[in-house]
Amino acid sequence: MATIKEVARLAGVSVGTVSNVITGTASVAKRRKERVLRAIQELNYHPNYVARSLKLQRTKMLGMIVSDITNPFFSQVVRGAEEAALKQGYLLLTFNTDDHEERERQVLSVLRSRRVDGILLVVAPSKTKPTHIVETLKAGIPVVCLDRLPPGIAVDSVTVDNVAAARECVRHLIAQGNQKIGIITGSLALATAQQRLLGYEKAMHEANLDVDKRWVRRGDFRSESGYQLGREILQEENRPTALFVSNNLMAYGVLRALDDLGLQCPRDLAIATFDDPAITQVFRPRLTAVFQPAYSFGYTGAELLIQRIESKTTGESPISIRLPTELHIRESSATIFSRPEARGEWETSST
Amino acid sequence: MATIKEVARLAGVSVGTVSNVITGTASVAKRRKERVLRAIQELNYHPNYVARSLKLQRTKMLGMIVSDITNPFFSQVVRGAEEAALKQGYLLLTFNTDDHEERERQVLSVLRSRRVDGILLVVAPSKTKPTHIVETLKAGIPVVCLDRLPPGIAVDSVTVDNVAAARECVRHLIAQGNQKIGIITGSLALATAQQRLLGYEKAMHEANLDVDKRWVRRGDFRSESGYQLGREILQEENRPTALFVSNNLMAYGVLRALDDLGLQCPRDLAIATFDDPAITQVFRPRLTAVFQPAYSFGYTGAELLIQRIESKTTGESPISIRLPTELHIRESSATIFSRPEARGEWETSST
DNA sequence: TTGTACGCGTTATCAA
DNA sequence: TTGATAACGCGTACAA
C-alpha cells in the first residue's frame, strides 16, 4: 500500500507538500498540486488514518454500545447515530452487551485502548454505581448515555420522560374501562424500568384503583420473561383485564403466552406497551404502544457527543436532552368495555 | 493518558520489559512482572492500540457493510459477525449503504484509509462489475461477501441456494392448490433477486403453470415497493390467488396493501416470502417463509475472513460457503383449496 | 533476562 | 511556498 513518501517521490515534491495538498492546511502552488494529485491517483494512495490518528491524538472513531442490536429499537438508535457521525467524519465501533455489566466493563476498556474520541452508551442494568463509567469519564473520554441513565453518575444524556409516558399509557387503559391492570416491568436495576413502574403506579393511584401485588411482575426486558410472567399472570384466578408491558420484546412474549393458553388480545386481555417498531405495525394485533423516537436517540446523541469532543468542554455540567414520546393507540387495548364495531380503524393520538 | 514509558518509569524497568509483560512475547522475572502489573493498575494504563496498529501494520478491525441494519435480517448478520470477531480480538466498524452503490464505494474507500484488516460485505445492487470491490481486493484487503454475490468477481462468500429455496417455496404454494401465482422480486441487479425469480419460474414451469406477465413485478426489497406492487397486482381483474414475495420487507408492504383494500391473508391471498425474523412470528398472520440463518451468515463470514487474514492466503481461489435454508410453513399460505380447521396449528417442515 | 534504539506513516514546526 | 525533521506510542531487533 502506497505511503505519502512514495507519492512525494513520484510527484517530485516533499512529503510536507503532499500533506498540505491532502489536508488543505497550507496553500500549494497550482502546478505542484496537480502533480501531487496525479501521483495520488496513479498510486491509488489512501492516507493512512492510523498514522494520522497517532500524530493527531484523535481517531475520529466513536464507541457505540447497546444491549442488543437485534432489538429493532436499538438498531434504529444505531442507525441514527451512524448518520450523524458519518456526516461529521466519525466512524462507529459498535458493540452489544446483552445487558451484562461485565461485558460493558470489558467493552469500555477495549474502547479506551482504541482511543475512541467518545462513547455513546446504553448502559446495562446495575445495582451499584458503575465505576467503569466514572473512570472512563475521568480519563477524559466524553460519554453520552442514551435512553437509560446510570445510577449516581452525572453524565450527558438523551432520554424520554418515562414516568409521564407510562402514566399516560396506563391512563388510557383505565379510560378504556379497565380496573384490574397489571404490569410487567424490566429489571429494576434500570432507571427506565423503575420510571415506567412509577408511571403505572401514579396512574393507578390517582384513579383510586387497587394494585394487586400479584399483578406486578418483574421481567428483564427480554421476550422470554414476558412469556413466563404473562403465563403466570394469566393463570391467576383473579387475573387483570389489561396489562401494561414495559417494553416491546416482553409484549411479544405475552402474546405468545396468550396464544399458548388459547386466549386472544384484546378479547381476553388488553395490552399496551413501550417501543413501537414500524415492522410490527402491519401485523395483528396492532399494539397500542408508547412510541419513542429511536432514530433521534442515536442522531441527537451523536451530535451532542461530537459537540463535546470538538469543543473540548468535558467536565462541564452535564447536558440532558429530553425527547418527546407519542402514545399510539391501536386495537390491542380495545377492551370489552369499549370496543368499536369497525376493525383496524384506530387513531393515533399524540402528546 | 498514561503511556508505556510512564509505566516503565514507575515500575523501574525499561519499556521493553513492560511490553513483554503486556504481550507475553518474552518471559519476564516474576518480581519485575508484578511491579509492572502494579504500575499498570496504578496508572490505569490502557495500551495505545493506535500506536500498536501502526507498528504492527494491522488494526484488528473489520469493516462490516450491510444495506440496512434496521432490517432484522441484517441486524442478525451483524450480531453474528460481532460475536465471531470479538472472540478473536477483532472489532467491527459498521456501515449502512441503503443499497446505494455510490455509498458503498465511499465506505470502501474510508475503510482502506482506516487500514481495516478485512471487510464483510453485503453488496449493493449493481448493473456493472463493481470496480471498487475489485480494487479493494487488488490492494490486498480480504473481502468476504455475505448473502449476495457481486457480478463478475471471484471472491470469498457465504450464501444460500436461493434458486432451490425459492423453488421449494413456490412448490409449496402450488401444492396448496394455487395455480395463479405471482411474484414480487427485488432489484434484478441483485443476484439473490434473480435467483429467487429463477426458482419461481422453475417451479411454475415444472408444474406446467402459466405465468401471466402481470403477475411478475419488480420491486426493490423495500416495504414501500411491496405495498405499491401488491396494490397493483391485487387490483388486476385476473389476480393471482397466491404471491411469492422475495423478501420480508416487501411482504410487510403487501400485507399493508391487503389491508387497504379490505382483503385478508390468507383468505383472499396466500403469501409466502423470504427471511423469517423471530420478532414477527408472534403476530398474525404468521408468514410462511424461507428461513435463512442470518446469524450464521455473519458468524461464518467473520470466521472465514479472519482465517484469510491470519493465514495470509489472499489471492488463492475463492472459498464459497453454502448455508442451509428451511421452509417454515405457516398460516399465511393456507389457501381456500386446503385450509385446516384449527387455527394457529402449523407445522414447520424443513429441508 | 534486560535495556536501547529504530521505524511504522503522519502532521506540524521551523528555516530557507 | 517549500523541504527537512521532530514528535506521536508502541513493538522488536539486537546488544549487553
Side-chain angles (χ1 to χ4, degrees):
Chain A
M1 223 169 245
T3 72
I4 200 174
K5 239 181 250 177
E6 301 178 52
V7 173
R9 187 147 39 88
L10 182 60
V13 300
S14 76
V15 293
T17 303
V18 177
S19 176
N20 285 334
V21 171
I22 295 168
T23 62
T25 44
S27 53
V28 176
K30 200 175 168 204
R31 296 205 23 97
R32 313 188 120 235
K33 190 170 185 170
E34 281 167 8
R35 286 233 303 281
V36 170
L37 259 14
R38 206 150 355 111
I40 287 176
Q41 195 90 45
E42 193 157 332
L43 294 173
N44 209 336
Y45 170 70
H46 290 247
N48 187 329
Y49 221 103
V50 176
R52 177 181 293 181
S53 295
L54 180 61
K55 175 66 192 174
L56 262 31
Q57 298 289 77
R58 56 169 176 65
T59 54
K60 283 268 192 174
M61 291 195 308
L62 266 27
M64 168 90 252
I65 307 177
V66 299
S67 70
D68 182 12
I69 206 180
T70 270
N71 180 334
F73 175 72
F74 292 117
S75 69
Q76 289 267 39
V77 172
V78 171
R79 198 63 232 258
E82 189 201 307
E83 216 83 3
L86 235 45
K87 195 167 284 183
Q88 313 208 41
Y90 287 81
L91 270 37
L92 247 44
L93 233 21
T94 57
F95 298 86
N96 300 281
T97 62
D98 283 323
D99 275 348
H100 296 318
E101 196 179 3
E102 182 50 32
R103 178 91 167 231
E104 178 177 288
R105 183 190 313 277
Q106 291 166 0
V107 169
L108 241 28
S109 176
V110 167
L111 254 22
R112 284 181 67 173
S113 255
R114 293 289 182 161
R115 297 299 190 269
V116 292
D117 294 337
I119 296 173
L120 291 166
L121 172 63
V122 176
V123 296
S126 172
K127 280 305 194 186
T128 61
K129 191 204 299 197
T131 55
H132 50 284
I133 298 177
V134 179
E135 276 170 17
T136 305
L137 252 13
K138 212 180 294 174
I141 304 171
V143 175
V144 171
C145 286
L146 269 26
D147 185 35
R148 311 166 178 174
L149 282 176
I153 300 180
V155 61
D156 292 338
S157 63
V158 183
T159 56
V160 301
D161 187 341
N162 283 284
V163 179
R167 175 151 75 166
E168 183 192 3
C169 189
V170 174
R171 268 187 191 147
H172 159 71
L173 289 174
I174 295 170
Q176 291 294 99
N178 295 287
Q179 305 218 329
K180 302 192 290 183
I181 304 177
I183 179 175
I184 297 183
T185 78
S187 159
L188 295 183
L190 238 30
T192 49
Q194 281 178 21
Q195 292 161 354
R196 291 172 198 174
L197 172 58
L198 187 58
Y200 160 84
E201 289 169 342
K202 281 195 176 171
M204 294 296 278
H205 193 257
E206 70 194 13
N208 283 317
L209 292 176
D210 287 335
V211 173
D212 187 319
K213 282 251 191 304
R214 286 163 305 184
W215 299 341
V216 178
R217 304 280 176 144
R218 178 169 165 181
D220 62 6
F221 276 167
R222 285 187 299 199
S223 178
E224 190 55 27
S225 74
Y227 174 73
Q228 291 295 347
L229 300 174
R231 273 190 81 101
E232 291 177 24
I233 292 180
L234 289 168
Q235 286 173 322
E236 294 283 350
E237 78 282 19
N238 179 29
R239 74 175 190 222
T241 60
L243 212 47
F244 171 58
V245 188
S246 291
N247 87 335
N248 59 346
L249 298 186
M250 294 195 300
Y252 307 149
V254 171
L255 286 180
R256 199 152 52 84
L258 279 170
D259 218 56
D260 269 19
L261 299 171
L263 301 174
Q264 281 186 21
C265 170
R267 195 192 62 196
D268 305 300
L269 180 79
I271 293 180
T273 181
F274 245 78
D275 310 326
D276 195 33
I279 214 166
T280 59
Q281 285 167 32
V282 79
F283 294 95
R284 303 298 173 91
R286 301 207 161 105
L287 291 178
T288 289
V290 173
F291 167 79
Q292 301 193 79
Y295 183 91
S296 297
F297 265 108
Y299 197 96
T300 312
E303 281 188 331
L304 174 55
L305 180 59
I306 292 172
Q307 182 190 320
R308 276 294 198 200
I309 292 168
E310 306 201 330
S311 66
K312 304 278 182 199
T313 58
T314 107
E316 311 260 312
S317 59
I319 297 174
S320 50
I321 297 178
R322 267 285 162 88
L323 265 21
T325 60
E326 294 170 12
L327 177 60
H328 289 181
I329 296 173
R330 304 207 187 86
E331 67 196 23
S332 77
S333 61
T335 69
I336 43 172
F337 313 106
S338 70
R339 191 166 297 147
E341 336 303 302
R343 286 189 62 84
E345 304 297 338
W346 304 92
E347 286 167 46
T348 280
S349 116
S350 82
T351 8
Chain B
M1 220 166 248
T3 72
I4 200 173
K5 238 181 249 177
E6 302 176 54
V7 174
R9 186 146 40 87
L10 182 61
V13 299
S14 74
V15 294
T17 303
V18 177
S19 176
N20 285 333
V21 170
I22 295 168
T23 61
T25 43
S27 53
V28 176
K30 200 176 167 204
R31 296 206 22 95
R32 312 188 123 237
K33 190 171 185 170
E34 281 166 9
R35 285 234 303 282
V36 171
L37 258 15
R38 208 153 351 113
I40 287 177
Q41 197 90 45
E42 194 158 331
L43 294 173
N44 211 336
Y45 170 68
H46 289 248
N48 187 328
Y49 221 103
V50 176
R52 179 182 291 183
S53 295
L54 181 60
K55 172 66 193 177
L56 263 30
Q57 297 288 76
R58 56 171 177 61
T59 55
K60 283 267 191 175
M61 291 195 307
L62 267 26
M64 168 92 250
I65 308 175
V66 299
S67 70
D68 181 11
I69 207 180
T70 269
N71 180 336
F73 175 73
F74 292 118
S75 70
Q76 289 268 37
V77 172
V78 171
R79 199 61 232 257
E82 189 201 308
E83 215 85 2
L86 236 44
K87 195 166 285 182
Q88 313 207 40
Y90 286 81
L91 270 37
L92 248 43
L93 233 22
T94 57
F95 297 85
N96 299 281
T97 61
D98 284 323
D99 276 347
H100 295 318
E101 195 178 4
E102 183 49 31
R103 179 90 167 230
E104 179 176 286
R105 184 191 313 275
Q106 291 166 0
V107 169
L108 243 26
S109 176
V110 167
L111 256 20
R112 284 181 67 173
S113 256
R114 292 288 181 162
R115 298 299 192 265
V116 293
D117 295 336
I119 295 170
L120 290 166
L121 172 62
V122 176
V123 295
S126 172
K127 280 306 198 186
T128 60
K129 190 196 313 190
T131 55
H132 49 287
I133 299 178
V134 179
E135 273 170 18
T136 305
L137 253 12
K138 213 181 292 175
I141 303 171
V143 174
V144 171
C145 285
L146 269 25
D147 184 36
R148 312 167 176 171
L149 282 174
I153 299 180
V155 61
D156 292 339
S157 65
V158 183
T159 56
V160 299
D161 188 339
N162 284 286
V163 179
R167 175 150 77 165
E168 183 192 3
C169 189
V170 174
R171 268 186 191 149
H172 159 71
L173 289 174
I174 294 170
Q176 291 293 98
N178 294 287
Q179 303 218 329
K180 302 193 288 183
I181 304 176
I183 180 174
I184 297 182
T185 78
S187 160
L188 295 183
L190 238 29
T192 49
Q194 281 177 22
Q195 291 161 355
R196 291 172 198 173
L197 174 57
L198 188 57
Y200 160 84
E201 288 169 342
K202 279 194 176 174
M204 294 297 277
H205 193 255
E206 69 195 12
N208 283 317
L209 293 176
D210 286 337
V211 173
D212 188 319
K213 283 252 191 305
R214 285 162 306 181
W215 299 342
V216 177
R217 303 281 177 144
R218 177 170 167 180
D220 60 7
F221 276 165
R222 286 187 298 199
S223 179
E224 190 55 27
S225 73
Y227 173 74
Q228 291 296 348
L229 300 174
R231 274 190 80 102
E232 290 179 24
I233 292 179
L234 289 168
Q235 286 173 322
E236 294 283 350
E237 79 280 20
N238 177 31
R239 74 176 188 221
T241 61
L243 211 48
F244 171 57
V245 188
S246 290
N247 86 337
N248 58 346
L249 298 186
M250 293 194 301
Y252 308 148
V254 171
L255 287 179
R256 199 152 52 84
L258 279 170
D259 219 54
D260 270 18
L261 300 171
L263 302 174
Q264 282 186 21
C265 168
R267 193 192 63 196
D268 304 301
L269 180 78
I271 293 181
T273 181
F274 245 79
D275 311 328
D276 194 33
I279 213 164
T280 58
Q281 285 165 33
V282 79
F283 293 95
R284 304 298 174 90
R286 300 207 161 104
L287 290 178
T288 290
V290 174
F291 167 79
Q292 301 192 79
Y295 183 89
S296 297
F297 264 109
Y299 198 96
T300 312
E303 281 189 330
L304 174 55
L305 180 59
I306 292 173
Q307 182 189 320
R308 276 295 198 201
I309 291 167
E310 307 203 329
S311 65
K312 303 278 182 198
T313 58
T314 107
E316 311 259 312
S317 59
I319 296 174
S320 52
I321 296 178
R322 268 285 162 87
L323 263 23
T325 60
E326 293 170 12
L327 178 60
H328 289 181
I329 296 173
R330 304 206 187 87
E331 68 197 24
S332 77
S333 61
T335 68
I336 43 172
F337 313 106
S338 68
R339 190 165 298 148
E341 334 303 301
R343 284 191 62 83
E345 306 296 338
W346 303 95
E347 289 167 44
T348 280
S349 115
S350 82
T351 7

